[in-house]
């Protein structure tokens, strides 16, 4: 039997090392989609702070702040000013942001194989369809969060 103090220490270490309690960044220009996702996160009782960005050009300056240690980015693809692919490419090629090892996951209405290929060519960590059915979308988001909470990854911040 493992003493409770050891279990607690390991849990605290994992939370610090993996930053599983960090912010979930959602990059989505559509208000209805943001509201739908907000309802999903509330229903899932996710304790992470959820930060929405309507304007993708504001994401990189935010993520570049030393004190910002996000858990993941969930990003739409088709947005004005900058699409999700461009945003992913900027993050991927920024040394500081790349070292933060932030999972970058696309959420899209498209099932087009070309879009999926393009996402993974940019080393996306996932590509999921935006579901219209609340329960289905809730399950998708819940599974994404659960997977990444269990996944181990390096962090340098």
């Amino acid at each position: 039997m493992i003493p409770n103090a050891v279990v607690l220490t390991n849990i605290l270490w994992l939370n610090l090392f993996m930053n599983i309690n960090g912010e979930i960044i959602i990059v989505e220009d559509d208000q209805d989609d943001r509201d739908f996702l907000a309802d999903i996160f509330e229903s899932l009782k996710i304790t992470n702070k959820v930060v929405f960005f309507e304007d993708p050009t504001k994401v990189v300056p935010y993520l570049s702040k030393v004190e910002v240690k996000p858990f993941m980015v969930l990003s739409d693809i088709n947005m004005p000013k900058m699409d999700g692919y461009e945003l992913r490419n900027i993050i991927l090629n920024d040394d500081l942001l790349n070292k933060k090892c932030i999972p970058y996951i696309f959420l899209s209405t498209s099932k087009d194989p070309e879009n999926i290929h393009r996402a993974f060519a940019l080393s996306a960590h996932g590509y999921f369809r935006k579901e219209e059915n609340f329960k289905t979308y809730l399950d998708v988001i819940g599974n994404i969060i659960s997977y990444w909470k269990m996944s181990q990854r390096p962090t340098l911040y």
Side-chain angles (χ1 to χ4, degrees):
M1 176 133 181
I2 301 172
N4 286 340
V6 172
V7 171
L8 181 58
T9 301
N10 288 340
I11 290 171
L12 291 173
W13 180 83
L14 282 172
N15 287 343
L16 177 64
F17 184 74
M18 293 179 56
N19 202 32
I20 61 174
N21 295 315
E23 298 171 346
I24 297 172
I25 308 299
I26 300 178
V27 189
E28 174 58 68
D29 65 308
D30 184 88
Q31 183 64 51
D32 290 336
D33 287 348
R34 289 194 307 271
D35 291 343
F36 202 44
L37 284 165
D39 290 345
I40 286 170
F41 278 96
E42 186 177 322
S43 294
L44 289 169
K45 296 180 178 21
I46 300 296
T47 57
N48 299 66
K49 179 179 178 184
V50 178
V51 180
F52 287 93
F53 284 89
E54 180 178 352
D55 181 350
T57 63
K58 295 183 178 182
V59 175
V60 170
Y62 180 78
L63 292 176
S64 296
K65 296 177 184 176
V66 175
E67 67 274 12
V68 174
K69 298 175 176 127
F71 174 46
M72 70 172 50
V73 173
L74 300 174
S75 177
D76 188 16
I77 293 175
N78 298 314
M79 298 176 284
K81 296 185 184 178
M82 176 188 299
D83 67 31
Y85 299 124
E86 293 172 90
L87 178 58
R88 173 61 183 151
N89 194 46
I90 291 168
I91 291 171
L92 192 61
N93 290 298
D94 182 294
D95 286 339
L96 171 70
L97 296 180
N98 201 18
K99 286 179 183 171
K100 286 189 175 187
C101 296
I102 309 163
Y104 195 99
I105 298 155
F106 286 104
L107 301 174
S108 178
T109 55
S110 173
K111 291 190 293 190
D112 184 342
E114 186 175 316
N115 286 343
I116 297 166
H117 176 75
R118 187 170 175 198
F120 282 96
L122 290 167
S123 300
H125 296 96
Y127 185 105
F128 297 88
R129 282 210 12 112
K130 293 179 184 176
E131 300 292 340
E132 293 181 18
N133 177 278
F134 185 83
K135 172 70 171 107
T136 304
Y137 207 9
L138 180 118
D139 289 343
V140 167
I141 297 298
N143 287 330
I144 292 169
I145 300 297
S146 294
Y147 172 86
W148 283 104
K149 292 249 181 185
M150 297 298 296
S151 177
Q152 296 189 28
R153 61 186 175 172
T155 57
L156 298 175
Y157 53 84

